[in-house]
Structure formats: structure tokens, C-alpha cells
Amino acid sequence: EIVLTQSPGTLSLSPGEGATLSCRASQSVSSSYFAWYQQKPGQAPRLLIYGASSRATGIPDRFSGSGCGTDFTLTISRLEPEDFAVYYCQQYGSTPLTFGQGTKVEIK
Amino acid sequence: QVQLVQSGAEVKKPGASVKVSCKASGYTFTRNTMHWVRQAPGQSLEWMGWINAGDHNRYYSQKFQGRVTTTMDTSASTAYMELSSLRSEDTAVYYCARDSGRDWLLDYWGQGTLVTVSS
């Protein structure tokens, strides 16, 4: 099983600032099979990024993903009020599909 | 537009079973695999398994083997997940999530069903 470790656990930032979220895998993940999700309280996760760097339909371009091998990054260029949420990384290249423990982006 | 609408919250006693439904619309149901993912209170997401809507092949995470059963009613565009021998640790929100058709990518999710296991 591929274990995904996200850092930091919590990011305290102000609207307009940039955010960098990291995810490290316990073994190499093909970039084709790496995703990021956003989840707000009481809601289902929403797909943001797939294939490590491709934005899902309707996702604004302030969200970008990068990385390969065991290290992946989600960058939010300028935080909007609606971006404060929990973000999960996920690998979907091998079973069991696994998720990171999440990074909470909160308002400072 | 793609929509997955799940059944309502359930309260079950330890040892019982629960069956959650997920009704799909906005796409051809038989073309996509359906996954099930759960989230315990305050915790991350945990993948449980999938069922192919075309041939009904299934694959489950080893953790849930023997306790989970996924089925589909293609005439009703509805997927089901049944979990048996419930224990308190199974208290969670259970989600269905559609496979995009591209390498197990989960692109659309149901709203979630809270299952509470309590004596």
C-alpha cells in the first residue's frame, strides 16, 4: 500500500496570499495517477487536479499541481475566501487507492 | 450534468448490516465504474472498493474483504454498498464516487451518507 504524507497539517494564511501544499509518497507514483481534492465542511470532496498537473473541469487557474516520483505539490497562487478548506492528495495508480491525511488551509 | 444522489443517514446497532444506495444521472450509467470511499469523523478518506457497471466485476480493499458487497441495478442507474458485521469504528460518512473512465480517477462524488453504529 502506498502511504501518502501531507505537510503541513495546517496552513494559516490571509486572503490574497499564496499557498504551497506538499504530499510525499512512500514509493514512486506515476505522475499520471496523482490527484488533489478540496473538501469543505459538510461537503463531498471535489476533484481539483489529476495527472499531477491537469486542472479538472471548472477549476480556476490559480490552482496548479506539480511533481513526480514521490514528491508532489499543490499551489494556490492567490487565496480567495472560498479556498479555505481541507485539501487531500491521492494516488490512483495502484490498489488500494490511498489518500493523504489532509492539509487544512485556514484564515489567519 | 452528472449527479450522484445517495440515500439518507442510518443508525445501526453493532453486528447489524447497512445498505447505502447511490442513484446516478446525467451520464450513461453502464459506461463507468463506481467506487465507494468512507470518511470517519475528523479523519481522512478511505477507499473501500469498486464495481464495474458494465460487467459488474468488483474489487475490494483487503481491509473490507468479506464484509462489503457492492451491487448495481442498471435499470435504475443505482449502485449499492452493503457493509455487514458493523462495529463502532464503522461510524463514518460513506461516499459513492464515479470513475472517470480514465485509470480509477474519481471525478464526481455523491453527497455522502452518514452511518452511525451505536448500541
Side-chain angles (χ1 to χ4, degrees):
Chain A
E1 173 175 329
I2 298 177
V3 176
L4 301 179
T5 303
Q6 293 186 238
S7 61
T10 303
L11 265 178
S12 297
L13 297 167
S14 301
E17 290 190 292
T20 301
L21 288 66
S22 297
C23 183
R24 175 162 289 178
S26 61
Q27 54 188 278
S28 185
V29 176
S30 167
S31 298
S32 299
Y33 309 124
F34 196 87
W36 290 93
Y37 294 86
Q38 177 193 68
Q39 187 178 36
K40 297 180 181 179
Q43 296 185 16
R46 177 173 73 141
L47 177 65
L48 295 177
I49 300 288
Y50 65 93
S53 60
S54 297
R55 276 186 297 276
T57 303
I59 301 303
D61 60 8
R62 64 180 181 274
F63 290 92
S64 63
S66 63
C68 64
T70 59
D71 291 291
F72 297 85
T73 300
L74 175 70
T75 301
I76 311 171
S77 59
R78 296 170 312 279
L79 284 163
E80 297 288 340
E82 61 269 26
D83 299 336
F84 291 91
V86 179
Y87 293 83
Y88 294 97
C89 59
Q90 186 222 4
Q91 67 80 21
Y92 53 99
S94 65
T95 54
L97 309 188
T98 51
F99 296 84
Q101 83 278 19
T103 290
K104 182 179 182 180
V105 179
E106 64 177 23
I107 299 177
K108 186 175 181 180
Chain B
Q1 72 283 19
V2 175
Q3 278 197 305
L4 303 175
V5 179
Q6 299 184 221
S7 49
E10 303 260 15
V11 179
K12 296 292 182 181
K13 293 193 181 304
S17 297
V18 68
K19 191 170 186 177
V20 178
S21 68
C22 170
K23 182 169 178 58
S25 61
Y27 71 99
T28 303
F29 184 69
T30 52
R31 288 186 181 171
N32 296 76
T33 292
M34 192 73 77
H35 296 252
W36 290 89
V37 177
R38 77 177 186 180
Q39 186 173 36
Q43 301 301 308
S44 182
L45 301 155
E46 183 174 35
W47 177 79
M48 300 178 70
W50 55 253
I51 179 168
N52 184 297
D55 58 18
H56 292 204
N57 275 343
R58 304 166 179 85
Y59 186 92
Y60 303 133
S61 169
Q62 194 169 9
K63 176 174 180 176
F64 299 100
Q65 283 276 3
R67 283 210 303 145
V68 68
T69 303
T70 54
T71 55
M72 284 186 158
D73 180 349
T74 53
S75 66
S77 298
T78 301
Y80 300 91
M81 186 283 300
E82 185 170 17
L83 188 63
S84 62
S85 303
L86 290 169
R87 34 210 189 228
S88 59
E89 312 89 88
D90 294 318
T91 293
V93 175
Y94 290 76
Y95 294 100
C96 58
R98 191 189 80 155
D99 188 305
S100 69
R102 174 170 43 201
D103 305 316
W104 298 331
L105 174 66
L106 311 181
D107 59 356
Y108 289 92
W109 295 58
Q111 84 277 17
T113 297
L114 175 62
V115 175
T116 302
V117 183
S118 174
S119 55

